[in-house]
Amino acid sequence: MRVSPGMHLGPYEILAPIGAGGMGEVYRAQDLRLKRTVAIKVLPGELSLNPQNRERLLREARAVSNLNHPNICTLHDIGSENGIDYLVMEYLEGDTLQQRLSRGPLPPGEALRYAIEIADALDRAHRSGVVHRDLKPGNVILTGSGAKLLDFGLAKTGAGLGRPHGDETVTDALTSEGTIAGTLQYMAPEQLEGKDISPRADIFAFGAVLYEMLAGRRAFSGGSAASIVASILTSEPPAAREITGGSALDRVMRKCLAKNPDRRWQTAADLKDELAWIAAGGAAPAVVPGPRQRAAMWWAGAAAVCALLAGWLAWERPRATAEPDAWNLAVPPPPDTVFVSSGGRSPFAISPDGHMLVFPVLAQNGSGLWLRDLTSGSQRPLPGTDNGHMPFWSPDSRNIGFFAGGKLKKIGLSGPPEVICNAGDGRGGSWNRDGTIVFTPRGLSVIHRVSASGGNPVPITTFDPARHENAHYFPYFLPDGRHFLYWARETEDLQKNGILIASLDDSPTLTGRPLLVSTPLGAIYAPSGNTGRGHLLYRRAKALVAQAFDPAALRVSSDAFPVADELGGGSDDALASVSATGVLVYAEPEGDLRRLVWIGRTGVPLGDAASPGHYKDVRLSPSGARIVVIRQDPEIGDNVWSIAPDGGLSRLTLNTAHARDCTVWSPDGGLVAFAQPSQNTTRGRAFSLFTVPVAGSADPARLTITTINQMPDDWSPDGRYLLFHQAGTVTQQDLWVLPLKPPGDPFPILATPFEESYGRISPDGRWLAYASDDTGASEIYVQSFSALVSRAQVSPKWTVSVDGGTQPVWRRDGKELFYRARNGALMSAAVQIAGEAFHAGSPKRLFDGDPGLLGGMEGFAYDAAPTGDRFIAIESVQKRGSRPLHVLTKWGAAR
């Protein structure tokens, strides 16, 4: 009986094939009891009839069952169903080492890390009396948590580990279909000669695998099985430019490949220890001595050690040119696109191996992630990443995490993206080698953890009341994969905003963490080769600086030195990224300064409304005569300003700082609602709703006290309700109302698993326009506001936009609805009302907008005059995202 998707083997449902070889087929399956994904291995149809093959499958189960090790694939179960014998194993996501090598050799640092993990797995197997006998790249899979050793189908077990009578012969191995291409090249000489097999046969195969990881080609090859056998028995692997002659790794590899088993490493434990010593900064002498000789010779060889280590570290960097240390590249955006670099969205991330750069761009057809190979210069879009932002890499440089459509997602270098969990517009993420991701969901504002394979996020930090915190953003794992940096915002003293360190092992309620450095945004860590130390890179004023940091002691030392004199982006932008190999990417300054400009319906500029400044949100008064904006200032923070018809500015929030992105006029034009951190409250430091009079100098009046950020959207024309949005604990951004006349408790009117935002109430108070991503992309919808606030059971929903939309605005007579398309264009849809039925005509483009200007995460980048004949809009003085990114390998002499 053949195995096919949908079939059940015991409690397991077959989902899809994963791969097949000469001695087994592997399928992805669902464990219906535990609701987890597993891998099931079965014998191909004709082989299942052979009792010896069935015994081999059982022997594999016995061999693996006791090998509990993080770098060995776990066996969950065995079974038999309708004549089909099967093994149930841990399901692993990733490429095999063979697949990875098809793209070229591994950088020495990456190869060394995988080699240590494979050697550790072999040591565990050998100590349990198991010799693998089929170690090859195809039997090693590279996952987010490291290398995993697979397929013990040819394993030998027993105390003596000699070849027992009746076991498979060399002839079997040489003539079985497919084994010459996949197995022969890794067999030890004694294995080919039919002699007793010991763990040192695995060590020989390990040497062949290590050679292939470093050189990108097999150690032994030939046009026929006979020539391959002759090569293994009589010759040495050819010298490779990728493996420096006489280097520590070269000597380890060649000792593994000694023809005489007695001249190889005697145990996998010795081999692992030697590799770990190299990784820690050591280097072996030319002739590998015993422990006493090594100690005596160490000082005499110190100079040579330093030279070899320097040469080896040079190979850790990507090889785009003949001199990788001299990298100084300018990476422009792809044709007809601009880089996304605003609204707190980190615009790029370099892979840990330093070879690839991922970044989001905006184009006329929308936004998405692109991938650029820094070695070849080729670049391509990543399908399925529409509106993706804040990308970050898995430690093995094979997967990318990102935020889009209210979700945290991941995507491999090929294949479609997968949803990990709900996240809103996240504020930074980081991925460790154990497959744990830390990130900040939008609205919840503390760091959460989740498995990279999916699950429910769990908060792992809490606000420190002594520091008056209200946001934890931009987590970044340190090398141990347990501690991570994060940025904390302090609401009373901007100078106390900065970097703290937490651990996955901490209690979520732990407070009192000391401030590491003061900075207006997150920090990243750059290791200094294999010294165990490195630098923190962070923003100081407008500059990117580096400061020596010891990740073991968790402290900085020395003075910070400048890496780049000036960075692009605003105060929320994390505009630098660094690889584990020391390759730095940063963005130079560009159009941060913005202007408020009047624009006619055809897109013709009609003049500026005020002098240029750092504007984030704009709203016209009900009469259209005055403007309120959020204006950023590095000295006094973000505040609400009023602009008179003559362009004069006056600050409304005289006694506060750090107002958020949204402002709302009262129906009579006398008050402005906005959000700022609550003062003098024991219920947290989240952004609450306030009002401030437009005339006079009264202090803001607080409307709400909350532990979750609340942002105003609109004020109903009758003055009864203030519309605002906030994040739910299970849902994403939801729309709420606060009853004002008479006063009452706030309640949600739209709370779904999706993200609802940018709510605007029609001038007659009957309809609500808003943006939602319930189709996967943001679109504009209209519902009955009356039905929503009365909590009616049925409230029909009408779609207004086509192919994406955000930031809806009503014309003051309610007969036209404007919104921004994904490419920044301003769209218009005619509105008709018939009783309780709403109808919007086909949207029409009025004029193109600046796609690089997002208008903030919550704020509006434009508003419509009462007659709809002109618009006030925020525009960049200089086109954002048009300047190239800088890629450097030599970014500081102090490094």
Side-chain angles (χ1 to χ4, degrees):
M1 178 181 294
R2 293 196 59 83
V3 176
S4 58
M7 176 185 291
H8 286 70
L9 295 178
Y12 306 100
E13 180 182 358
I14 302 298
L15 301 178
I18 297 175
M23 297 306 299
E25 295 175 348
V26 184
Y27 296 84
R28 180 166 57 89
Q30 177 79 5
D31 186 334
L32 301 177
R33 300 165 301 178
L34 300 178
K35 304 300 182 184
R36 66 178 174 183
T37 302
V38 296
I40 288 187
K41 180 178 181 179
V42 303
L43 291 175
E46 66 281 359
L47 294 181
S48 63
L49 302 177
N50 187 329
Q52 291 183 349
N53 293 330
R54 300 176 73 175
E55 176 60 28
R56 174 183 289 176
L57 193 71
L58 181 59
R59 184 171 64 244
E60 178 178 3
R62 291 169 179 161
V64 179
S65 61
N66 295 319
L67 300 182
N68 183 17
H69 190 274
N71 299 114
I72 297 177
C73 183
T74 302
L75 177 72
H76 293 318
D77 195 5
I78 62 172
S80 180
E81 184 86 7
N82 296 323
I84 299 176
D85 296 310
Y86 60 89
L87 306 183
V88 183
M89 301 173 293
E90 174 186 11
Y91 176 70
L92 300 172
E93 294 186 5
D95 291 339
T96 64
L97 179 57
Q98 182 176 338
Q99 291 170 323
R100 169 60 183 86
L101 289 172
S102 67
R103 303 194 294 270
L106 277 63
E110 185 179 350
L112 184 61
R113 175 163 60 88
Y114 290 141
I116 292 172
E117 293 170 344
I118 298 169
D120 200 23
L122 287 177
D123 176 45
R124 178 66 179 88
H126 293 168
R127 286 187 290 105
S128 299
V130 178
V131 179
H132 192 281
R133 292 203 308 171
D134 196 20
L135 177 60
K136 57 185 178 181
N139 284 340
V140 176
I141 190 167
L142 307 179
T143 72
S145 60
K148 294 267 191 175
L149 188 56
L150 312 172
D151 199 344
F152 283 75
L154 294 179
K156 179 188 293 293
T157 61
L161 294 176
R163 187 168 71 86
H165 177 72
D167 201 11
E168 290 78 14
T169 65
V170 174
T171 303
D172 292 331
L174 293 178
T175 58
S176 296
E177 182 180 355
T179 52
I180 291 180
T183 300
L184 182 60
Q185 290 85 351
Y186 309 96
M187 288 184 179
E190 64 271 24
Q191 196 171 359
L192 294 171
E193 294 171 344
K195 297 179 180 178
D196 286 350
I197 302 301
S198 74
R200 283 169 285 178
D202 283 347
I203 291 176
F204 182 93
F206 177 91
V209 171
L210 179 58
Y211 179 94
E212 195 167 340
M213 284 196 289
L214 294 167
R217 59 180 182 270
R218 286 173 173 165
F220 305 101
S221 59
S224 65
S227 61
I228 295 173
V229 170
S231 176
I232 293 174
L233 293 176
T234 62
S235 64
E236 298 293 331
R241 179 178 62 86
E242 293 83 359
I243 307 176
T244 305
S247 72
L249 283 175
D250 181 56
R251 287 191 299 276
V252 168
M253 178 269 299
R254 294 190 179 277
K255 186 172 182 179
C256 290
L257 293 176
K259 307 302 181 187
N260 186 342
D262 293 334
R263 299 185 63 85
R264 296 178 204 146
W265 299 96
Q266 295 304 288
T267 68
D270 291 341
L271 173 60
K272 178 193 68 175
D273 290 345
E274 190 73 11
L275 293 168
W277 185 52
I278 295 172
V287 177
V288 180
R292 294 182 181 179
Q293 293 166 307
R294 175 184 294 164
M297 296 175 64
W298 191 90
W299 291 104
V305 167
C306 294
L308 289 172
L309 182 59
W312 176 60
L313 290 176
W315 281 107
E316 288 276 42
R317 297 188 174 94
R319 298 182 288 279
T321 66
E323 181 53 53
D325 282 345
W327 260 22
N328 188 346
L329 309 177
V331 178
D336 302 319
T337 71
V338 295
F339 291 125
V340 176
S341 56
S342 64
R345 302 180 175 194
S346 177
F348 47 78
I350 190 168
S351 59
D353 63 12
H355 287 198
M356 292 171 288
L357 183 65
V358 62
F359 49 85
V361 299
L362 285 164
Q364 289 300 311
N365 60 349
S367 64
L369 296 179
W370 279 62
L371 186 68
R372 182 183 179 95
D373 188 322
L374 295 175
T375 303
S376 66
S378 62
Q379 57 189 10
R380 59 184 174 88
L382 290 174
T385 61
D386 293 351
N387 300 311
H389 59 276
M390 269 207 162
F392 56 95
W393 287 87
S394 62
D396 58 8
S397 301
R398 292 187 293 107
N399 290 278
I400 300 164
F402 66 98
F403 300 91
K407 311 289 184 183
L408 172 60
K409 301 181 179 182
K410 64 179 178 181
I411 186 172
L413 300 184
S414 62
E418 301 176 39
V419 174
I420 296 175
C421 64
N422 292 332
D425 268 326
R427 296 295 194 272
S430 189
W431 191 330
N432 74 3
R433 289 178 56 192
D434 295 328
T436 296
I437 291 175
V438 290
F439 72 103
T440 301
R442 176 181 174 184
L444 302 182
S445 298
V446 295
I447 310 297
H448 286 58
R449 67 181 292 173
V450 69
S451 169
S453 60
N456 294 320
V458 177
I460 54 174
T461 64
T462 190
F463 295 143
D464 189 339
R467 281 181 38 82
H468 309 297
E469 295 174 348
N470 76 337
H472 293 168
Y473 292 161
F474 309 120
Y476 195 94
F477 271 118
L478 292 172
D480 65 1
R482 307 302 296 174
H483 291 87
F484 57 90
L485 308 167
Y486 68 96
W487 180 79
R489 181 168 57 206
E490 218 274 8
T491 58
E492 293 189 350
D493 185 351
L494 297 180
Q495 297 303 313
K496 294 182 180 179
N497 290 349
I499 306 304
L500 282 70
I501 298 177
S503 170
L504 296 178
D505 303 317
D506 290 344
S507 166
T509 59
L510 179 65
T511 58
R513 297 184 176 100
L515 184 69
L516 192 64
V517 294
S518 176
T519 178
L521 75 163
I524 55 180
Y525 172 74
S528 295
N530 288 310
T531 64
R533 300 189 178 189
H535 292 85
L536 290 188
L537 285 86
Y538 58 93
R539 189 169 189 156
R540 177 176 291 175
K542 294 184 177 181
L544 177 67
V545 300
Q547 188 167 2
F549 178 73
D550 185 341
L554 301 178
R555 63 171 180 260
V556 293
S557 60
S558 304
D559 295 327
F561 61 90
V563 175
D565 292 335
E566 191 171 1
L567 289 178
S571 61
D572 288 334
D573 294 329
L575 294 185
S577 179
V578 67
S579 74
T581 59
V583 182
L584 173 69
V585 184
Y586 72 91
E588 68 180 53
E590 51 183 352
D592 296 332
L593 205 61
R594 303 174 181 180
R595 65 189 185 121
L596 291 171
V597 59
W598 289 102
I599 303 175
R601 283 183 69 94
T602 61
V604 176
L606 304 177
D608 288 1
S611 58
H614 296 278
Y615 303 114
K616 296 173 61 177
D617 176 79
V618 59
R619 294 289 182 101
L620 283 170
S621 65
S623 67
R626 297 185 69 88
I627 303 169
V628 290
V629 295
I630 298 291
R631 181 176 170 130
Q632 299 173 282
D633 188 290
E635 300 297 329
I636 59 175
D638 301 353
N639 280 276
V640 182
W641 292 71
S642 171
I643 302 176
D646 63 0
L649 284 88
S650 57
R651 185 155 61 99
L652 303 184
T653 50
L654 298 177
N655 300 319
T656 187
H658 216 88
R660 277 301 287 266
D661 299 2
C662 304
T663 54
V664 173
W665 287 90
S666 63
D668 61 6
L671 296 173
V672 171
F674 66 101
Q676 74 170 27
S678 300
Q679 304 293 326
N680 302 320
T681 172
T682 60
R683 294 193 54 194
R685 308 292 298 178
F687 283 85
S688 302
L689 302 177
F690 289 76
T691 60
V692 63
V694 178
S697 58
D699 290 338
R702 186 176 64 219
L703 300 178
T704 61
I705 300 176
T706 180
T707 57
I708 300 176
N709 291 342
Q710 298 174 335
M711 304 296 156
D713 285 290
D714 208 356
W715 207 314
S716 64
D718 58 8
R720 294 181 58 190
Y721 299 103
L722 183 64
L723 177 71
F724 67 95
H725 65 268
Q726 72 175 36
T729 56
V730 177
T731 59
Q732 303 300 308
Q733 291 288 341
D734 302 323
L735 290 177
W736 290 55
V737 292
L738 173 66
L740 299 175
K741 296 179 181 179
D745 293 330
F747 61 89
I749 58 173
L750 281 174
T752 74
F754 309 105
E755 185 148 332
E756 291 86 25
S757 58
Y758 295 113
R760 296 294 285 263
I761 304 170
S762 63
D764 61 5
R766 296 179 57 195
W767 308 96
L768 173 67
Y770 63 95
S772 174
D773 63 356
D774 61 356
T775 64
S778 179
E779 301 283 0
I780 302 300
Y781 300 95
V782 169
Q783 286 186 253
S784 168
F785 181 68
S786 304
L788 291 171
V789 295
S790 65
R791 310 189 195 191
Q793 294 295 320
V794 179
S795 178
K797 181 170 68 174
W798 292 270
T799 305
V800 176
S801 59
V802 176
D803 193 27
T806 188
Q807 299 180 8
V809 173
W810 296 91
R811 197 170 77 189
R812 298 302 164 90
D813 61 5
K815 295 182 179 180
E816 191 173 16
L817 189 60
F818 308 103
Y819 68 90
R820 296 189 70 202
R822 286 193 296 174
N823 60 6
L826 188 66
M827 309 295 291
S828 165
V831 172
Q832 296 179 354
I833 306 296
E836 298 301 316
F838 175 90
H839 175 75
S842 299
K844 299 180 180 179
R845 185 185 64 83
L846 297 183
F847 54 84
D848 291 333
D850 180 1
L853 182 65
L854 303 181
M857 301 303 293
E858 293 90 5
F860 278 73
Y862 79 103
D863 204 357
T867 57
D869 60 339
R870 64 175 185 162
F871 305 87
I872 186 70
I874 302 175
E875 284 194 346
S876 297
V877 172
Q878 182 183 44
K879 186 178 180 181
R880 297 178 63 85
S882 59
R883 294 192 180 183
L885 305 176
H886 292 288
V887 182
L888 299 174
T889 51
K890 289 185 175 180
W891 46 265
R895 182 176 180 272

